[in-house]
Short mmCIF file of all heavy atoms in Angstrom, two decimals:
data_model
loop_
_atom_site.label_atom_id
_atom_site.label_comp_id
_atom_site.label_asym_id
_atom_site.label_seq_id
_atom_site.Cartn_x
_atom_site.Cartn_y
_atom_site.Cartn_z
N PRO S 1 -5.33 5.64 5.16
CA PRO S 1 -4.51 4.99 6.19
C PRO S 1 -5.37 4.19 7.16
O PRO S 1 -6.44 4.64 7.58
CB PRO S 1 -3.82 6.17 6.89
CG PRO S 1 -4.72 7.34 6.63
CD PRO S 1 -5.30 7.11 5.27
N VAL S 2 -4.92 2.99 7.51
CA VAL S 2 -5.65 2.16 8.47
C VAL S 2 -4.80 1.81 9.68
O VAL S 2 -5.27 1.14 10.60
CB VAL S 2 -6.14 0.85 7.80
CG1 VAL S 2 -7.17 1.16 6.73
CG2 VAL S 2 -4.98 0.06 7.21
N GLY S 3 -3.55 2.27 9.71
CA GLY S 3 -2.69 1.98 10.84
C GLY S 3 -1.23 2.16 10.46
O GLY S 3 -0.90 2.84 9.48
N ALA S 4 -0.35 1.58 11.26
CA ALA S 4 1.08 1.70 11.02
C ALA S 4 1.75 0.38 11.34
O ALA S 4 1.25 -0.41 12.16
CB ALA S 4 1.68 2.82 11.85
N ASP S 5 2.89 0.12 10.68
CA ASP S 5 3.62 -1.11 10.98
C ASP S 5 4.54 -0.91 12.18
O ASP S 5 4.52 0.15 12.82
CB ASP S 5 4.41 -1.57 9.74
CG ASP S 5 5.43 -0.54 9.28
OD1 ASP S 5 5.78 0.35 10.08
OD2 ASP S 5 5.87 -0.63 8.12
N LYS S 6 5.36 -1.91 12.48
CA LYS S 6 6.21 -1.86 13.66
C LYS S 6 7.23 -0.73 13.60
O LYS S 6 7.70 -0.23 14.62
CB LYS S 6 6.94 -3.19 13.84
CG LYS S 6 6.00 -4.35 14.18
CD LYS S 6 6.78 -5.64 14.34
CE LYS S 6 5.85 -6.80 14.69
NZ LYS S 6 6.59 -8.08 14.84
N GLU S 7 7.57 -0.33 12.39
CA GLU S 7 8.55 0.73 12.22
C GLU S 7 7.90 2.10 12.13
O GLU S 7 8.57 3.11 11.90
CB GLU S 7 9.39 0.46 10.96
CG GLU S 7 10.17 -0.85 11.05
CD GLU S 7 10.95 -1.13 9.78
OE1 GLU S 7 10.75 -0.39 8.79
OE2 GLU S 7 11.75 -2.08 9.77
N GLY S 8 6.58 2.15 12.28
CA GLY S 8 5.90 3.44 12.24
C GLY S 8 5.48 3.88 10.86
O GLY S 8 4.97 4.99 10.68
N ASN S 9 5.68 3.02 9.85
CA ASN S 9 5.29 3.37 8.49
C ASN S 9 3.78 3.21 8.32
O ASN S 9 3.19 2.24 8.82
CB ASN S 9 6.01 2.47 7.47
CG ASN S 9 7.51 2.66 7.52
OD1 ASN S 9 8.00 3.78 7.57
ND2 ASN S 9 8.23 1.54 7.55
N GLN S 10 3.17 4.15 7.63
CA GLN S 10 1.72 4.13 7.44
C GLN S 10 1.30 2.94 6.58
O GLN S 10 1.94 2.61 5.59
CB GLN S 10 1.28 5.44 6.79
CG GLN S 10 -0.22 5.65 6.79
CD GLN S 10 -0.57 7.00 6.19
OE1 GLN S 10 -0.58 7.17 4.99
NE2 GLN S 10 -0.87 7.98 7.05
N ILE S 11 0.20 2.28 6.98
CA ILE S 11 -0.35 1.15 6.23
C ILE S 11 -1.71 1.56 5.68
O ILE S 11 -2.54 2.14 6.39
CB ILE S 11 -0.52 -0.09 7.13
CG1 ILE S 11 0.83 -0.54 7.68
CG2 ILE S 11 -1.18 -1.23 6.35
CD1 ILE S 11 0.71 -1.70 8.66
N THR S 12 -1.93 1.27 4.41
CA THR S 12 -3.21 1.56 3.77
C THR S 12 -3.92 0.25 3.44
O THR S 12 -3.33 -0.83 3.53
CB THR S 12 -3.02 2.37 2.47
OG1 THR S 12 -2.35 1.54 1.51
CG2 THR S 12 -2.19 3.63 2.72
N LEU S 13 -5.19 0.36 3.04
CA LEU S 13 -5.93 -0.84 2.64
C LEU S 13 -5.26 -1.54 1.46
O LEU S 13 -5.27 -2.76 1.35
CB LEU S 13 -7.37 -0.46 2.25
CG LEU S 13 -8.31 -0.08 3.40
CD1 LEU S 13 -9.64 0.38 2.83
CD2 LEU S 13 -8.54 -1.26 4.33
N ALA S 14 -4.65 -0.74 0.59
CA ALA S 14 -3.98 -1.31 -0.58
C ALA S 14 -2.82 -2.21 -0.17
O ALA S 14 -2.45 -3.14 -0.90
CB ALA S 14 -3.47 -0.20 -1.48
N ASP S 15 -2.24 -1.95 1.01
CA ASP S 15 -1.11 -2.76 1.47
C ASP S 15 -1.54 -4.13 1.97
O ASP S 15 -0.72 -5.05 2.04
CB ASP S 15 -0.36 -2.04 2.59
CG ASP S 15 0.26 -0.73 2.13
OD1 ASP S 15 0.78 -0.70 1.00
OD2 ASP S 15 0.23 0.24 2.89
N ILE S 16 -2.83 -4.26 2.35
CA ILE S 16 -3.25 -5.52 2.97
C ILE S 16 -4.24 -6.32 2.14
O ILE S 16 -4.55 -7.45 2.50
CB ILE S 16 -3.85 -5.25 4.37
CG1 ILE S 16 -5.04 -4.31 4.28
CG2 ILE S 16 -2.81 -4.67 5.31
CD1 ILE S 16 -5.73 -4.06 5.61
N VAL S 17 -4.76 -5.75 1.04
CA VAL S 17 -5.66 -6.55 0.20
C VAL S 17 -4.86 -7.62 -0.51
O VAL S 17 -3.66 -7.49 -0.74
CB VAL S 17 -6.40 -5.68 -0.83
CG1 VAL S 17 -7.35 -4.74 -0.14
CG2 VAL S 17 -5.41 -4.92 -1.71
N GLU S 18 -5.53 -8.71 -0.89
CA GLU S 18 -4.83 -9.85 -1.48
C GLU S 18 -4.29 -9.55 -2.87
O GLU S 18 -3.18 -9.91 -3.21
CB GLU S 18 -5.78 -11.05 -1.55
CG GLU S 18 -6.18 -11.57 -0.19
CD GLU S 18 -7.08 -12.78 -0.31
OE1 GLU S 18 -7.42 -13.16 -1.46
OE2 GLU S 18 -7.44 -13.34 0.73
N SER S 19 -5.08 -8.85 -3.70
CA SER S 19 -4.63 -8.60 -5.07
C SER S 19 -3.61 -7.47 -5.07
O SER S 19 -3.82 -6.44 -4.44
CB SER S 19 -5.81 -8.21 -5.96
OG SER S 19 -6.46 -7.09 -5.44
N PRO S 20 -2.48 -7.64 -5.77
CA PRO S 20 -1.46 -6.60 -5.81
C PRO S 20 -1.95 -5.37 -6.55
O PRO S 20 -2.63 -5.47 -7.56
CB PRO S 20 -0.30 -7.28 -6.57
CG PRO S 20 -0.96 -8.33 -7.41
CD PRO S 20 -2.13 -8.82 -6.59
N GLU S 21 -1.59 -4.19 -6.04
CA GLU S 21 -1.96 -2.94 -6.68
C GLU S 21 -0.86 -2.51 -7.66
O GLU S 21 0.30 -2.91 -7.51
CB GLU S 21 -2.13 -1.84 -5.62
CG GLU S 21 -3.37 -2.01 -4.76
CD GLU S 21 -4.63 -1.90 -5.59
OE1 GLU S 21 -4.75 -0.94 -6.37
OE2 GLU S 21 -5.48 -2.79 -5.46
N PRO S 22 -1.18 -1.72 -8.66
CA PRO S 22 -0.17 -1.25 -9.60
C PRO S 22 0.88 -0.39 -8.88
O PRO S 22 0.63 0.13 -7.80
CB PRO S 22 -0.97 -0.40 -10.60
CG PRO S 22 -2.38 -0.84 -10.42
CD PRO S 22 -2.51 -1.24 -8.98
N GLU S 23 2.01 -0.26 -9.51
CA GLU S 23 3.03 0.64 -8.98
C GLU S 23 2.48 2.07 -8.98
O GLU S 23 1.56 2.40 -9.72
CB GLU S 23 4.29 0.57 -9.85
CG GLU S 23 5.00 -0.78 -9.83
CD GLU S 23 5.57 -1.10 -8.47
OE1 GLU S 23 5.93 -0.14 -7.73
OE2 GLU S 23 5.65 -2.28 -8.12
N LEU S 24 3.10 2.92 -8.15
CA LEU S 24 2.62 4.29 -7.99
C LEU S 24 2.56 5.02 -9.33
O LEU S 24 1.57 5.70 -9.63
CB LEU S 24 3.52 5.05 -7.01
CG LEU S 24 3.15 6.52 -6.77
CD1 LEU S 24 1.75 6.63 -6.21
CD2 LEU S 24 4.15 7.18 -5.83
N TRP S 25 3.57 4.87 -10.15
CA TRP S 25 3.59 5.60 -11.42
C TRP S 25 2.46 5.14 -12.33
O TRP S 25 1.91 5.93 -13.09
CB TRP S 25 4.95 5.42 -12.12
CG TRP S 25 5.22 4.04 -12.64
CD1 TRP S 25 5.85 3.03 -11.99
CD2 TRP S 25 4.85 3.51 -13.92
NE1 TRP S 25 5.89 1.90 -12.77
CE2 TRP S 25 5.30 2.17 -13.97
CE3 TRP S 25 4.19 4.04 -15.03
CZ2 TRP S 25 5.10 1.36 -15.07
CZ3 TRP S 25 4.00 3.22 -16.13
CH2 TRP S 25 4.46 1.90 -16.15
N GLU S 26 2.10 3.83 -12.22
CA GLU S 26 0.98 3.33 -13.02
C GLU S 26 -0.33 3.92 -12.55
O GLU S 26 -1.22 4.23 -13.34
CB GLU S 26 0.92 1.80 -12.93
CG GLU S 26 2.10 1.10 -13.60
CD GLU S 26 2.04 -0.39 -13.42
OE1 GLU S 26 1.76 -0.83 -12.28
OE2 GLU S 26 2.26 -1.12 -14.39
N GLN S 27 -0.47 4.07 -11.22
CA GLN S 27 -1.69 4.66 -10.66
C GLN S 27 -1.85 6.10 -11.12
O GLN S 27 -2.94 6.54 -11.50
CB GLN S 27 -1.65 4.60 -9.13
CG GLN S 27 -1.60 3.19 -8.57
CD GLN S 27 -1.17 3.18 -7.11
OE1 GLN S 27 -1.11 4.22 -6.47
NE2 GLN S 27 -0.85 2.01 -6.59
N VAL S 28 -0.75 6.85 -11.08
CA VAL S 28 -0.78 8.25 -11.49
C VAL S 28 -1.12 8.36 -12.98
O VAL S 28 -1.93 9.19 -13.38
CB VAL S 28 0.57 8.93 -11.20
CG1 VAL S 28 0.60 10.34 -11.79
CG2 VAL S 28 0.82 8.99 -9.70
#
């Protein structure tokens, strides 16, 4: 976690890097 958005949802580095990350099920 690197912070939270306006609604209080946790933001990770994966949320802000330019390249899209795989879906959660793909990561698992």
Side-chain angles (χ1 to χ4, degrees):
V2 294
D5 60 19
K6 293 180 180 179
E7 299 178 352
N9 298 314
Q10 191 177 79
I11 298 175
T12 67
L13 287 175
D15 296 321
I16 58 177
V17 293
E18 294 182 357
S19 58
E21 289 297 311
E23 295 294 331
L24 178 60
W25 69 268
E26 292 176 315
Q27 298 164 12
V28 173

